[in-house]
Amino acid sequence: MFRVFLEVIRITAIFLILGSIMGALIKLVYGNFGINVDNTNGGWMVGISILIIIFVLYRNRLQFSGFYKGEHRVKLSKTLSAFLISSSVLMLIFAPLVH
């Protein structure tokens, strides 16, 4: 039970830290092109795409190095991973176009 609690804290930290870093990088890239997606629907798309990318990273890599050692730890299928990553990249590309 304690390992599960530690893993939840670890997951929260991963999402917060990686999400913040990725959000800042994307904002920097958009800023170089003169695009501001703050307070728009495009900002929501960027946030959702970052969460999807971190989810895929966690399920395929990071869950195997954590505190929880349960039986139900499996990677996402290659098809699902590719679909989720490509959807995220498309959302990042089209986010500036959404008003």
Side-chain angles (χ1 to χ4, degrees), residues 9-22 51 54:
I9 291 173
R10 180 176 172 264
I11 291 168
T12 304
I14 288 170
F15 272 78
L16 288 175
I17 293 169
L18 284 179
S20 298
I21 291 170
M22 290 175 72
L51 288 176
I54 295 172

Side-chain angles (χ1 to χ4, degrees), residues 37-70:
V37 293
D38 292 339
N39 300 322
T40 66
N41 290 335
W44 282 98
M45 286 178 66
V46 169
I48 291 169
S49 66
I50 289 171
L51 288 176
I52 291 171
I53 291 169
I54 295 172
F55 171 74
V56 172
L57 176 66
Y58 178 79
R59 285 293 304 264
N60 288 342
R61 297 279 183 211
L62 299 176
Q63 75 174 337
F64 302 107
S65 64
F67 297 105
Y68 181 67
K69 303 294 182 195

